[in-house]
Structure formats: structure tokens, C-alpha cells
């Protein structure tokens, strides 16, 4: 039976003009995204890989007035960086640069840094990719932090640790909960807020579980009805299990 390609939990794809400034922009974007996706420990390596692959594309793979593309995906097992350029006839190969050469060391850095790297042909052009393994996520999907108390300081710290990109959403919903509590003269909206974010943290503190949920959320938009139904079922099971765990304390 043919193995189904896994849907990444996160994905970013952007085209750049073939200039040195674009390399800098792509590098900073990569670091910001990988940090927001919950892997600050990989942000530096990801930024360096994007920089080296984009520079290689700029020097050897780009044509005038043709864009190059940087795609970054995060799956359960690896962070993958792809740089696509329009010249398929020029494949990359690491070489030892002379001591006075400005360029020539980039692919040696990629080879040393990445767990896997290579090239893939396209109808027009090629893709050069590099992957960083998510080593901390291997094993039995143990929690990366203890389950926090359903109190504001503990929840805020937990969200900042396991889902930092969602902090603006956290504070916005916190404000809304306190406004509703005042309007209704009831603590129920605040308790509901604590419960909701307790469930978010419960899922995100188990990385493999979080990856499965994010993949299912993306698959809900699939044009395949069976894939959508399976994704809805998967997401529902994960969320219900987290609700039970939070309720059970």
C-alpha cells in the first residue's frame, strides 16, 4: 500500500527577488517563524541554513527577473527548508574553498549542520533542501513542561513556553473574559477561559500530540471528503482527551 504523505503542522512559502537583501530577509523570517512554531532551539540553525541555501541559489541558480522561493515546513519528525531556483542544470556540490575566497563554504556548512540535505528536480529549475531532526520530540511523547495550575500566572507562563505565538490571542481572550465576567456579574467566563487555555497547554505540552492536531486542522480544508472526515475525527479525539485530562487534574 502506498504511504500517504504527511501533512506538515506548519508551513511557510515566500518568493524573493534575487538580491542580497532578500537573503537577509529570508534568514530573519526563518528564525522568527521557527521560534513562533515552538522550536527556538532550532531557530539559529534554520536561519543559517536558509541563508546558505538562498545565497547558493542567488549565486548559482537565479536568472535575471526570476524569483527564488523559500519554503519551510515543520512536521512531527523534522524541520524542512527548501529553496527553489529556476536553473535545474546547475546542481550544488560542496567544495573546499581557498583561504582567501569570500564564497565557497556554504554547502559545507549545510552538510555539517543538516541531518539530511539534497536536491530534487522540478519541471523548471530545482529544489535544494535541508532537514533538521526534531530530536526532543522522539520517544514516548512525554510532556515538555508539567501541567500548570488553572491560574493566570501559571497559564501565562505555560503558554509562553509551549505556544509563544499564541500569547496575543491569550491576552485578548483574557480581556474579553474579564469584560464578560463584569457584564454578567459572574466568574463563569473566567473559569471557562482558564479551562480553554488549560486544554491548549495540555495539547501543546505533548509535542507529538500537538503535531497531530495541527496536521488534522490543516487537513480539514482538504478537497477529499474522506480526508476531511478523518481529520475532524482525529482533532476531536485529541481535544476531548485533553479536556478529560484537564478536568481530572
Amino acid at each position: 500500500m502506498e504511504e500517504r504523505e504527511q501533512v506538515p503542522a506548519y508551513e511557510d512559502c515566500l518568493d524573493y527577488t534575487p538580491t542580497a537583501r532578500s537573503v537577509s530577509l529570508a534568514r530573519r523570517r526563518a528564525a522568527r517563524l521557527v521560534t513562533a512554531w515552538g522550536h527556538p532551539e532550532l531557530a539559529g540553525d534554520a536561519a543559517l541554513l536558509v541563508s546558505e541555501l538562498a545565497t547558493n541559489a542567488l549565486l548559482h541558480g537565479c536568472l535575471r527577473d526570476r524569483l527564488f522561493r523559500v519554503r519551510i515546513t515543520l512536521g512531527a519528525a523534522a524541520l524542512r527548508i527548501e529553496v527553489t531556483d529556476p536553473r535545474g542544470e546547475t546542481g550544488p556540490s560542496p567544495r573546499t574553498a581557498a583561504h582567501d575566497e569570500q564564497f565557497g563554504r556554504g554547502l559545507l556548512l549545510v552538510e555539517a549542520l543538516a541531518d539530511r540535505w539534497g536536491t530534487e528536480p522540478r519541471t523548471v529549475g530545482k529544489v535544494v533542501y535541508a532537514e533538521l531532526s526534531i530530536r526532543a520530540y522522539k520517544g514516548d511523547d512525554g510532556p515538555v513542561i508539567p501541567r500548570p495550575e488553572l491560574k493566570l500566572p501559571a497559564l501565562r507562563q505555560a503558554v509562553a513556553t509551549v505556544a509563544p505565538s499564541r500569547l496575543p490571542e491569550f491576552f485578548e481572550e483574557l480581556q474579553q473574559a474579564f469584560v464578560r465576567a463584569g457584564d454578567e456579574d459572574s466568574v463563569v467566563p473566567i473559569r471557562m477561559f482558564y479551562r480553554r487555555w488549560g486544554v491548549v497547554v495540555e495539547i501543546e505540552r505533548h509535542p507529538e500530540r500537538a503535531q497531530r492536531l495541527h496536521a488534522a486542522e490543516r487537513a480539514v480544508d482538504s478537497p477529499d471528503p474522506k480526508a476531511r472526515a478523518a481529520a475532524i475525527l482525529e482533532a476531536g479525539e485529541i481535544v476531548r482527551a485533553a479536556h478529560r485530562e484537564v478536568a481530572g487534574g
Side-chain angles (χ1 to χ4, degrees):
M1 189 170 83
E2 187 176 340
E3 187 174 348
R4 202 185 267 180
E5 184 180 355
Q6 291 189 349
V7 179
Y10 293 100
E11 179 178 6
D12 181 76
C13 188
L14 196 62
D15 293 336
Y16 294 89
T17 55
T19 64
R21 181 173 180 271
S22 292
V23 174
S24 178
L25 291 173
R27 180 179 66 246
R28 291 198 297 269
R29 183 180 180 86
R32 186 174 69 252
L33 285 170
V34 173
T35 299
W37 293 348
H39 285 281
E41 78 282 1
L42 295 180
D45 288 352
L48 182 56
L49 287 171
V50 166
S51 180
E52 297 303 336
L53 294 182
T55 298
N56 187 72
L58 182 64
L59 294 175
H60 307 295
C62 287
L63 300 171
R64 188 174 181 178
D65 299 326
R66 295 289 298 276
L67 304 177
F68 70 91
R69 173 171 294 175
V70 178
R71 178 174 180 257
I72 307 173
T73 59
L74 177 65
L79 178 77
R80 181 180 172 98
I81 295 161
E82 301 176 356
V83 176
T84 305
D85 65 60
R87 295 185 63 185
E89 75 279 7
T90 57
S93 59
R95 67 181 181 87
T96 303
H99 73 278
D100 56 349
E101 282 189 274
Q102 183 179 1
F103 302 107
R105 300 173 180 83
L107 290 178
L108 290 175
L109 287 174
V110 171
E111 193 172 56
L113 209 59
D115 293 289
R116 292 163 296 281
W117 80 280
T119 62
E120 295 174 351
R122 291 290 184 264
T123 303
V124 176
K126 66 180 180 298
V127 173
V128 184
Y129 68 88
E131 294 183 352
L132 295 169
S133 295
I134 311 298
R135 293 181 177 85
Y137 283 12
K138 294 179 179 178
D140 60 359
D141 190 34
V144 295
I145 62 170
R147 181 179 297 143
E149 289 185 283
L150 296 186
K151 296 180 180 178
L152 183 57
L155 275 178
R156 182 179 60 222
Q157 182 59 47
V159 173
T161 302
V162 300
S165 64
R166 300 190 66 176
L167 275 173
E169 179 186 358
F170 175 87
F171 287 117
E172 182 179 353
E173 291 190 10
L174 173 63
Q175 184 177 13
Q176 293 171 352
F178 274 96
V179 170
R180 286 199 306 273
D183 291 343
E184 299 170 13
D185 193 23
S186 170
V187 297
V188 171
I190 297 173
R191 288 177 178 170
M192 290 176 63
F193 167 83
Y194 287 160
R195 175 62 62 86
R196 164 171 152 66
W197 283 95
V199 169
V200 170
V201 169
E202 184 62 30
I203 293 170
E204 295 292 341
R205 76 189 189 101
H206 293 86
E208 184 181 345
R209 195 179 308 179
Q211 299 287 3
R212 285 168 46 216
L213 176 62
H214 298 319
E217 289 170 339
R218 294 176 60 85
V220 167
D221 295 327
S222 170
D224 182 354
K226 291 184 178 179
R228 285 200 306 271
I232 292 170
L233 181 63
E234 171 86 345
E237 289 177 351
I238 293 170
V239 173
R240 284 192 296 271
H243 270 285
R244 289 194 297 268
E245 290 166 354
V246 171

